Amino acid sequence: MSLTRPLTLIVLLALLAIYLLRAPTPPQELRQSRLLLGTVVEIAALGPDQARLEAAVNNAFAEIARIEALMTPHQPQSDVSRLSAASDEATVASETAEVIALGLQVAAASDGALDLTLGRVKALWAIESETPRIPSSEELAEALEETGPAALQLDGRQVRKAAPQLAVDLGAVAKGYAVDRAVAVLRAAGVTQASVNAGGDIFLLGDHGGRPWRIGIQHPRNDQQVAATLLVADQAVVTSGDYERFFERDGVRYHHIFDPKTGRPGDRCQSASVVAPSAALADALSTAVFVLGPEAGLALVEKFPGALALVIDAAGGRHLSPGLQERIEWP
Ligand code: AMP
Ligand code: MG
């Protein structure tokens, strides 16, 4: 009797230890941000194994950096720089070709509202520099020569330019594409719940504890307020807004999203948010919808399965794709 008691106790303690060791650890969240793509990129990933999450998130950031190196206009050896410098054609990486293919598809569907050849227009305004300026009509007309949805032709990885002076700018699509690539890396590492946010280009992998993720859309005229909250899962949410990069002169706001018909900042919207199956598509569409305005913008989005939009027009009026009604909350 006196011998069996401590034995029973030891057995019980051993069983308890085995149970505790084998009990599933609750999912932990790993949240990291880095400066990439000219903005703050934040990745939040959930999973039981912190070390594996950390490796996956590191690899996702590395993938974003790799895509940025291909598509930035700020490095002379990038695909975009080589293409802009080329007199007629250049061969690009398959990733760059993929972005151009999607851009050309949305360019054609939007009657040229999305235009991958606005590099010279963008340079004239220099909105992102310390010294932005308002170009003259003559300068804009010249920078717009030969631009348009047919200005680039893609054949595999070969890109042909309609004219030597065309400067390519993938800024409207590349950020979303980089987000998709990061999500693909997380998925391949077995991560099933994560968010990747590149300065407002967001992908939500999986759901958020059995419920949809709740994504706040910034109020375009009050950065302390949300204009709406979108409920999404396994989808991208991307917003193009006139408040993101702009300067003001004589009470007029000049921002970074240009109407290719004029070379001037688009004036039909304050913001356009698009929900879509991929961040690259949502990114391309949000820019095009912003330029087109609410009516033509919502009609464009309807052509793409799974895509929905919330448009805030120039007067602050809200316009919704019908399918978004049950997935939106107003403040
Ligand atoms: P986003 O923030 O996605 O709307 O993209 C805006 C960026 O895309 C700008 O900073 C420019 O580099 C480029 N861009 C501006 N206007 C257009 C346009 N109409 N079509 C394609 N790219 C554009
Ligand atoms: Mg865009």
Side-chain angles (χ1 to χ4, degrees), residues 114 171-174 176 201 238-240 257 279-288:
L114 186 80
V173 192
D201 284 35
V238 176
T239 299
S240 289
I257 306 169
L281 178 62
D283 199 358
L285 286 176
S286 70
T287 306

Side-chain angles (χ1 to χ4, degrees), residues 106 109-111 284-285 288-289 292 295-304:
V106 173
S110 65
D111 188 26
L285 286 176
V289 171
L292 289 170
E295 216 167 293
L298 291 182
L300 169 70
V301 162
E302 255 182 53
K303 296 183 198 171
F304 293 83

Side-chain angles (χ1 to χ4, degrees), residues 83-84 86-90 100 103-105 107-108 112 114-120 143-154 158-169 260:
L83 192 49
S84 294
S87 55
D88 52 358
E89 60 182 36
I100 292 176
L104 293 180
Q105 190 194 352
L114 186 80
D115 189 332
L116 304 180
T117 56
L118 295 182
R120 294 173 72 214
L144 284 171
E145 271 170 25
E146 307 281 353
T147 63
L152 295 181
Q153 292 207 324
L154 187 66
Q158 193 89 353
V159 191
R160 187 162 297 123
K161 291 161 61 172
Q165 75 269 22
L166 285 172
V168 173
D169 174 17

Side-chain angles (χ1 to χ4, degrees), residues 288-320:
V289 171
F290 184 99
V291 170
L292 289 170
E295 216 167 293
L298 291 182
L300 169 70
V301 162
E302 255 182 53
K303 296 183 198 171
F304 293 83
L308 302 165
L310 160 65
V311 183
I312 303 185
D313 67 28
R318 270 68 164 158
H319 309 259
L320 277 187

